[in-house]
mmCIF file of all heavy atoms in Angstrom:
data_model
loop_
_atom_site.group_PDB
_atom_site.id
_atom_site.type_symbol
_atom_site.label_atom_id
_atom_site.label_comp_id
_atom_site.label_asym_id
_atom_site.label_seq_id
_atom_site.Cartn_x
_atom_site.Cartn_y
_atom_site.Cartn_z
ATOM 1 N N LEU T 101 -8.183 16.094 -10.101
ATOM 2 C CA LEU T 101 -8.238 16.910 -9.024
ATOM 3 C C LEU T 101 -7.026 17.955 -8.859
ATOM 4 O O LEU T 101 -7.274 18.934 -8.107
ATOM 5 C CB LEU T 101 -8.273 16.111 -7.649
ATOM 6 C CG LEU T 101 -9.468 15.118 -7.575
ATOM 7 C CD1 LEU T 101 -9.189 14.244 -6.310
ATOM 8 C CD2 LEU T 101 -10.770 15.839 -7.507
ATOM 9 N N GLY T 102 -6.067 17.666 -9.434
ATOM 10 C CA GLY T 102 -4.787 18.528 -9.205
ATOM 11 C C GLY T 102 -3.851 17.784 -8.372
ATOM 12 O O GLY T 102 -4.160 16.938 -7.530
ATOM 13 N N PRO T 103 -2.518 18.034 -8.523
ATOM 14 C CA PRO T 103 -1.543 17.306 -7.742
ATOM 15 C C PRO T 103 -1.592 17.513 -6.269
ATOM 16 O O PRO T 103 -0.941 16.694 -5.513
ATOM 17 C CB PRO T 103 -0.191 17.844 -8.428
ATOM 18 C CG PRO T 103 -0.619 19.209 -8.901
ATOM 19 C CD PRO T 103 -1.916 19.154 -9.377
ATOM 20 N N ASP T 104 -2.130 18.601 -5.789
ATOM 21 C CA ASP T 104 -2.092 18.844 -4.336
ATOM 22 C C ASP T 104 -3.167 18.134 -3.632
ATOM 23 O O ASP T 104 -3.264 18.173 -2.319
ATOM 24 C CB ASP T 104 -2.177 20.299 -4.036
ATOM 25 C CG ASP T 104 -0.907 21.138 -4.664
ATOM 26 O OD1 ASP T 104 0.014 20.499 -4.689
ATOM 27 O OD2 ASP T 104 -1.118 22.315 -5.108
ATOM 28 N N ALA T 105 -4.190 17.530 -4.290
ATOM 29 C CA ALA T 105 -5.390 16.854 -3.558
ATOM 30 C C ALA T 105 -4.905 15.425 -3.090
ATOM 31 O O ALA T 105 -4.313 14.799 -3.726
ATOM 32 C CB ALA T 105 -6.466 16.725 -4.594
ATOM 33 N N VAL T 106 -5.064 15.326 -1.811
ATOM 34 C CA VAL T 106 -4.801 14.132 -1.119
ATOM 35 C C VAL T 106 -5.997 13.120 -1.238
ATOM 36 O O VAL T 106 -6.869 13.142 -0.359
ATOM 37 C CB VAL T 106 -4.374 14.210 0.403
ATOM 38 C CG1 VAL T 106 -3.926 13.014 0.914
ATOM 39 C CG2 VAL T 106 -3.226 15.330 0.529
ATOM 40 N N HIS T 107 -5.943 12.272 -2.262
ATOM 41 C CA HIS T 107 -7.226 11.562 -2.502
ATOM 42 C C HIS T 107 -7.126 10.146 -2.034
ATOM 43 O O HIS T 107 -8.135 9.365 -1.940
ATOM 44 C CB HIS T 107 -7.545 11.523 -4.047
ATOM 45 C CG HIS T 107 -6.420 11.106 -4.867
ATOM 46 N ND1 HIS T 107 -6.020 9.828 -4.992
ATOM 47 C CD2 HIS T 107 -5.565 11.862 -5.668
ATOM 48 C CE1 HIS T 107 -5.036 9.669 -5.897
ATOM 49 N NE2 HIS T 107 -4.709 10.933 -6.304
ATOM 50 N N GLN T 108 -5.928 9.576 -1.628
ATOM 51 C CA GLN T 108 -5.780 8.207 -1.166
ATOM 52 C C GLN T 108 -6.254 7.200 -2.144
ATOM 53 O O GLN T 108 -6.753 6.037 -1.615
ATOM 54 C CB GLN T 108 -6.437 8.127 0.311
ATOM 55 C CG GLN T 108 -5.590 8.849 1.355
ATOM 56 C CD GLN T 108 -6.390 9.812 2.082
ATOM 57 O OE1 GLN T 108 -7.520 10.232 1.722
ATOM 58 N NE2 GLN T 108 -5.995 10.167 3.272
ATOM 59 N N GLY T 109 -6.441 7.580 -3.316
ATOM 60 C CA GLY T 109 -6.801 6.533 -4.343
ATOM 61 C C GLY T 109 -8.371 6.366 -4.582
ATOM 62 O O GLY T 109 -8.745 5.343 -5.118
ATOM 63 N N LEU T 110 -9.050 7.321 -4.051
ATOM 64 C CA LEU T 110 -10.557 7.301 -4.139
ATOM 65 C C LEU T 110 -11.206 8.485 -4.632
ATOM 66 O O LEU T 110 -10.789 9.642 -4.208
ATOM 67 C CB LEU T 110 -11.220 6.922 -2.788
ATOM 68 C CG LEU T 110 -10.831 5.641 -2.102
ATOM 69 C CD1 LEU T 110 -9.695 5.935 -1.045
ATOM 70 C CD2 LEU T 110 -11.901 5.070 -1.247
ATOM 71 N N LEU T 111 -12.049 8.432 -5.661
ATOM 72 C CA LEU T 111 -12.811 9.601 -6.126
ATOM 73 C C LEU T 111 -14.147 9.196 -6.533
ATOM 74 O O LEU T 111 -14.308 8.056 -7.244
ATOM 75 C CB LEU T 111 -12.088 10.253 -7.301
ATOM 76 C CG LEU T 111 -12.743 11.560 -7.783
ATOM 77 C CD1 LEU T 111 -11.657 12.508 -8.456
ATOM 78 C CD2 LEU T 111 -13.750 11.300 -8.903
ATOM 79 N N ALA T 112 -15.190 9.723 -6.076
ATOM 80 C CA ALA T 112 -16.517 9.423 -6.402
ATOM 81 C C ALA T 112 -17.350 10.635 -6.986
ATOM 82 O O ALA T 112 -17.045 11.762 -6.433
ATOM 83 C CB ALA T 112 -17.258 8.823 -5.171
ATOM 84 N N GLU T 113 -18.172 10.377 -7.938
ATOM 85 C CA GLU T 113 -19.167 11.339 -8.318
ATOM 86 C C GLU T 113 -20.509 10.958 -7.765
ATOM 87 O O GLU T 113 -20.843 9.727 -7.998
ATOM 88 C CB GLU T 113 -19.187 11.513 -9.871
ATOM 89 C CG GLU T 113 -17.872 12.101 -10.381
ATOM 90 C CD GLU T 113 -18.034 12.492 -11.922
ATOM 91 O OE1 GLU T 113 -19.118 12.204 -12.600
ATOM 92 O OE2 GLU T 113 -17.070 13.020 -12.545
ATOM 93 N N ALA T 114 -21.174 11.813 -7.176
ATOM 94 C CA ALA T 114 -22.395 11.479 -6.454
ATOM 95 C C ALA T 114 -23.388 12.529 -6.629
ATOM 96 O O ALA T 114 -23.155 13.765 -6.978
ATOM 97 C CB ALA T 114 -22.102 11.232 -4.974
ATOM 98 N N GLU T 115 -24.728 12.192 -6.470
ATOM 99 C CA GLU T 115 -25.798 13.110 -6.361
ATOM 100 C C GLU T 115 -25.752 13.926 -5.076
ATOM 101 O O GLU T 115 -25.356 13.509 -4.020
ATOM 102 C CB GLU T 115 -27.149 12.461 -6.402
ATOM 103 C CG GLU T 115 -27.327 11.749 -7.694
ATOM 104 C CD GLU T 115 -27.872 12.573 -8.948
ATOM 105 O OE1 GLU T 115 -28.010 13.761 -8.591
ATOM 106 O OE2 GLU T 115 -27.845 12.118 -9.939
ATOM 107 N N PRO T 116 -25.943 15.265 -5.243
ATOM 108 C CA PRO T 116 -25.939 16.079 -4.003
ATOM 109 C C PRO T 116 -27.030 15.607 -3.005
ATOM 110 O O PRO T 116 -28.056 15.116 -3.383
ATOM 111 C CB PRO T 116 -26.324 17.484 -4.396
ATOM 112 C CG PRO T 116 -25.970 17.564 -6.042
ATOM 113 C CD PRO T 116 -26.213 16.078 -6.373
ATOM 114 N N LEU T 117 -26.777 15.750 -1.769
ATOM 115 C CA LEU T 117 -27.744 15.365 -0.770
ATOM 116 C C LEU T 117 -28.775 16.347 -0.701
ATOM 117 O O LEU T 117 -28.645 17.614 -0.895
ATOM 118 C CB LEU T 117 -27.174 15.228 0.619
ATOM 119 C CG LEU T 117 -26.113 14.109 0.826
ATOM 120 C CD1 LEU T 117 -25.407 14.151 2.183
ATOM 121 C CD2 LEU T 117 -26.857 12.756 0.775
ATOM 122 N N PRO T 118 -30.072 16.111 -0.419
ATOM 123 C CA PRO T 118 -31.198 17.021 -0.294
ATOM 124 C C PRO T 118 -30.950 17.931 0.885
ATOM 125 O O PRO T 118 -30.307 17.547 1.859
ATOM 126 C CB PRO T 118 -32.416 16.152 -0.102
ATOM 127 C CG PRO T 118 -31.947 14.799 0.513
ATOM 128 C CD PRO T 118 -30.569 14.581 -0.225
ATOM 129 N N SER T 119 -31.482 19.240 0.759
ATOM 130 C CA SER T 119 -31.339 20.184 1.749
ATOM 131 C C SER T 119 -32.804 20.196 2.445
ATOM 132 O O SER T 119 -33.763 20.544 1.881
ATOM 133 C CB SER T 119 -31.042 21.569 1.144
ATOM 134 O OG SER T 119 -31.135 22.563 2.179
ATOM 135 N N PRO T 120 -32.845 19.832 3.867
ATOM 136 C CA PRO T 120 -34.004 19.910 4.549
ATOM 137 C C PRO T 120 -34.516 21.322 4.689
ATOM 138 O O PRO T 120 -33.683 22.277 4.606
ATOM 139 C CB PRO T 120 -33.775 19.221 5.821
ATOM 140 C CG PRO T 120 -32.288 19.388 5.978
ATOM 141 C CD PRO T 120 -31.648 19.428 4.514
ATOM 142 N N GLY T 121 -35.688 21.445 5.152
ATOM 143 C CA GLY T 121 -36.245 22.885 5.487
ATOM 144 C C GLY T 121 -36.092 23.174 6.991
ATOM 145 O O GLY T 121 -35.981 22.240 7.822
ATOM 146 N N ILE T 122 -36.149 24.499 7.279
ATOM 147 C CA ILE T 122 -36.001 24.925 8.619
ATOM 148 C C ILE T 122 -37.138 24.271 9.541
ATOM 149 O O ILE T 122 -36.946 23.908 10.626
ATOM 150 C CB ILE T 122 -36.127 26.374 8.667
ATOM 151 C CG1 ILE T 122 -34.997 27.190 8.080
ATOM 152 C CG2 ILE T 122 -36.270 26.951 10.111
ATOM 153 C CD1 ILE T 122 -33.697 26.967 8.838
ATOM 154 N N ASP T 123 -38.348 24.116 8.896
ATOM 155 C CA ASP T 123 -39.547 23.681 9.657
ATOM 156 C C ASP T 123 -39.304 22.114 9.935
ATOM 157 O O ASP T 123 -40.193 21.649 10.726
ATOM 158 C CB ASP T 123 -40.680 23.877 8.808
ATOM 159 C CG ASP T 123 -40.787 23.239 7.420
ATOM 160 O OD1 ASP T 123 -39.734 22.859 7.053
ATOM 161 O OD2 ASP T 123 -41.924 23.110 6.828
ATOM 162 N N THR T 124 -38.295 21.467 9.371
ATOM 163 C CA THR T 124 -38.133 19.982 9.714
ATOM 164 C C THR T 124 -37.184 19.742 10.785
ATOM 165 O O THR T 124 -36.930 18.608 11.203
ATOM 166 C CB THR T 124 -37.698 19.243 8.336
ATOM 167 O OG1 THR T 124 -36.338 19.624 7.916
ATOM 168 C CG2 THR T 124 -38.584 19.505 7.240
ATOM 169 N N LEU T 125 -36.423 20.791 11.187
ATOM 170 C CA LEU T 125 -35.348 20.624 12.200
ATOM 171 C C LEU T 125 -35.944 20.268 13.540
ATOM 172 O O LEU T 125 -36.944 20.865 13.994
ATOM 173 C CB LEU T 125 -34.583 21.915 12.289
ATOM 174 C CG LEU T 125 -33.777 22.330 11.100
ATOM 175 C CD1 LEU T 125 -32.989 23.635 11.435
ATOM 176 C CD2 LEU T 125 -32.892 21.296 10.517
ATOM 177 N N PRO T 126 -35.334 19.249 14.241
ATOM 178 C CA PRO T 126 -35.832 18.915 15.600
ATOM 179 C C PRO T 126 -35.742 20.119 16.510
ATOM 180 O O PRO T 126 -34.707 20.817 16.529
ATOM 181 C CB PRO T 126 -34.934 17.706 15.977
ATOM 182 C CG PRO T 126 -33.768 17.811 15.080
ATOM 183 C CD PRO T 126 -34.237 18.546 13.816
#
Side-chain angles (χ1 to χ4, degrees):
L101 300 173
D104 296 330
V106 183
H107 54 73
Q108 290 129 339
L110 303 92
L111 184 150
E113 290 190 0
E115 295 285 348
L117 292 171
S119 172
I122 293 289
D123 59 346
T124 68
L125 299 182

